[in-house]
Amino acid sequence: LEFGFPRPEASNIAPATVLVFAADNVELAPQAAEFVGLSSDPTSIRLPGRKQPPLVYRDLGGGEPALFVAGLRRLSRLTSVSGHARVRLEGQQLHIDQRLDYRVAHEPQRTFELLAPAEVWTGGNLQVWMGEEPLSVTVAAPAEPAAPSLVRLQFSTPTDQLGPLQVNVRYAL
């Protein structure tokens, strides 16, 4: 990635601060040895709604246009999840309440999958919630021959998710 910056024309020009923002799914590796007219600025800036901090430079104000050079790598979506469950026994019935803490990085995601015992789905009482909002659940794929007792389920959130997301799953067996 290589690009220059416009140079204003005036009799007295103060060094400008230059901020370079990468999209959430892009990693920039600045090639400082190839910069022209820029020096790194140690200022740390965080802007709301941005997952990555900007790269901050000073335009040295020389005769030639400032030039920024960086390696660019597109980052694929990375979704991780951790969870914990509370199990309550009432007579012959188990009541399960699971909290799943997702973290979606680099690219937004709206549809998520769960792998569950088939009886969780066939029991008809599976509920998935995001906050106070119930989410609809469908079968994403039939049971696999290697694991016929499992079913792949799918739910979608109302909007694209990027960053942390908490989902509650409730069912009884």
Side-chain angles (χ1 to χ4, degrees):
L1 173 68
E2 183 176 309
F3 55 86
F5 297 97
R7 177 73 39 134
E9 290 189 26
S11 58
N12 188 4
I13 300 174
T17 299
V18 177
L19 303 173
V20 178
F21 294 90
D24 291 324
N25 66 340
V26 171
E27 179 181 76
L28 293 178
Q31 308 294 318
E34 298 180 42
F35 287 1
V36 174
L38 293 175
S39 70
S40 184
D41 187 327
T43 304
S44 178
I45 298 174
R46 274 279 189 200
L47 293 179
R50 304 294 307 205
K51 300 296 178 194
Q52 296 185 57
L55 302 171
V56 183
Y57 300 96
R58 283 272 179 208
D59 182 339
L60 299 175
E64 66 268 346
L67 179 68
F68 176 82
V69 180
L72 181 137
R73 183 171 65 117
R74 183 174 181 268
L75 302 171
S76 298
R77 178 186 304 129
L78 177 64
T79 303
S80 60
V81 64
S82 64
H84 70 273
R86 275 193 348 235
V87 179
R88 197 175 74 246
L89 179 61
E90 287 182 5
Q92 297 296 316
Q93 197 168 45
L94 286 175
H95 295 270
I96 294 95
D97 188 353
Q98 291 181 284
R99 187 178 88 193
L100 303 175
D101 294 308
Y102 287 90
R103 180 162 298 281
V104 180
H106 312 309
E107 292 186 352
Q109 182 174 349
R110 182 176 282 186
T111 302
F112 298 83
E113 288 190 357
L114 301 169
L115 189 61
E119 57 267 19
V120 168
W121 178 249
T122 58
N125 59 13
L126 175 70
Q127 299 174 352
V128 178
W129 296 80
M130 185 175 90
E132 298 298 317
E133 185 168 355
L135 304 175
S136 68
V137 181
T138 59
V139 174
E144 297 175 17
S149 63
L150 297 176
V151 63
R152 192 171 300 276
L153 303 173
Q154 172 177 293
F155 65 90
S156 296
T157 57
T159 60
D160 286 343
Q161 302 296 312
L162 188 62
L165 164 70
Q166 188 177 90
V167 172
N168 290 306
V169 179
R170 298 178 193 123
Y171 55 95
L173 294 172

